Amino acid sequence: GESVGLHLPTLSVQEGDNSIINCAYSNSASDYFIWYKQESGKGPQFIIDIRSNMDKRQGQRVTVLLNKTVKHLSLQIAATQPGDSAVYFCAENTGRRALTFGSGTRLQVQP
Amino acid sequence: GAVVSQHPSWVICKSGTSVKIECRSLDFQATTMFWYRQFPKQSLMLMATSNEGSKATYEQGVEKDKFLINHASLTLSTLTVTSAHPEDSSFYICSAFASGTSGGQYFGAGTRLSVL
């Protein structure tokens, strides 16, 4: 079936560096994508979203890029901090408002 | 921002007993709520869509008689795991769709269920 997947299960970066987390999706009809951050034992926390009529959206220290041609989504975190360490999920809105989540990438920030 | 409260955060129960998990939207009304299950080191998998005033819609492979969902008001959905077994041990997370937002969902903090 349709799915949203991730390229890298674990990403380790040095504090202060920029992080890039990637996600591939397969449902070409998807028109809304969201990145969530999940810390251990907690629910997902909304980071940033983007609609399919955009290819880039910026937030505070975060940028989401969408490439519909290759069905690829990325999350860029600038000046990564120890508090950014968590598992990051991309999610796709399927149109019926339920979300399909990718497999997740663990971000480890080394001090 | 919108707040979703989930209770309890952690529950331990004996095999064969039932456990009820509550999901509340604190500052908005939610006609639709969603229940997800997450096993360790895995992603969130949608279990069911909870609709206020009507029956829940279950995903394929999810037993509706085992996972009872009640959405009796615009701010509360409950998930009852009936006759729980150790394989039901998981992290259960609810979310609510807030009308008027861009389409994102707001998640509860999750409930860790451990069945002995």
Side-chain angles (χ1 to χ4, degrees), chain A residues 29 73 78 85-86 102 105:
Chain A
L73 194 68
S85 294
T105 293

Side-chain angles (χ1 to χ4, degrees), chain A:
Chain A
E2 300 286 7
S3 65
V4 180
L6 293 175
H7 295 161
L8 300 174
T10 303
L11 176 65
S12 183
V13 300
Q14 292 292 321
E15 181 178 357
D17 288 351
N18 296 333
S19 302
I20 300 176
I21 300 172
N22 297 302
C23 176
Y25 64 94
S26 56
N27 188 346
S28 57
S30 299
D31 62 359
Y32 181 63
F33 304 88
I34 312 140
W35 280 101
Y36 287 94
K37 172 186 179 182
Q38 187 180 30
E39 297 175 285
S40 181
K42 298 182 179 180
Q45 178 186 354
F46 175 91
I47 299 174
I48 193 168
D49 59 358
I50 189 169
R51 291 203 172 275
S52 60
N53 60 352
M54 302 172 68
D55 54 20
K56 180 179 180 179
R57 190 160 188 234
Q58 290 184 294
Q60 186 177 11
R61 281 203 307 121
V62 294
T63 301
V64 56
L65 299 177
L66 174 63
N67 186 329
K68 296 181 289 294
T69 302
V70 295
K71 290 185 269 186
H72 184 266
L73 194 68
S74 69
L75 175 69
Q76 300 179 1
I77 305 174
T80 313
Q81 303 169 0
D84 295 327
S85 294
V87 177
Y88 289 80
F89 293 97
C90 63
E92 165 197 11
N93 189 295
T94 62
R96 59 192 177 107
R97 300 186 293 180
L99 293 176
T100 299
F101 282 82
S103 57
T105 293
R106 179 172 298 280
L107 177 64
Q108 296 178 332
V109 182
Q110 307 296 330

Side-chain angles (χ1 to χ4, degrees), chain B residues 9 21 27 37 39 45 52 61 64 72 76 82 93-94 98 101 111-112 116:
Chain B
S9 57
I21 303 170
D27 51 1
R37 180 168 52 185
F39 291 106
M45 296 298 295
E52 188 269 336
K64 62 179 181 180
L76 174 64
T82 63
I93 308 172
C94 71
T101 67
T111 297
R112 173 79 54 197
L116 304 179

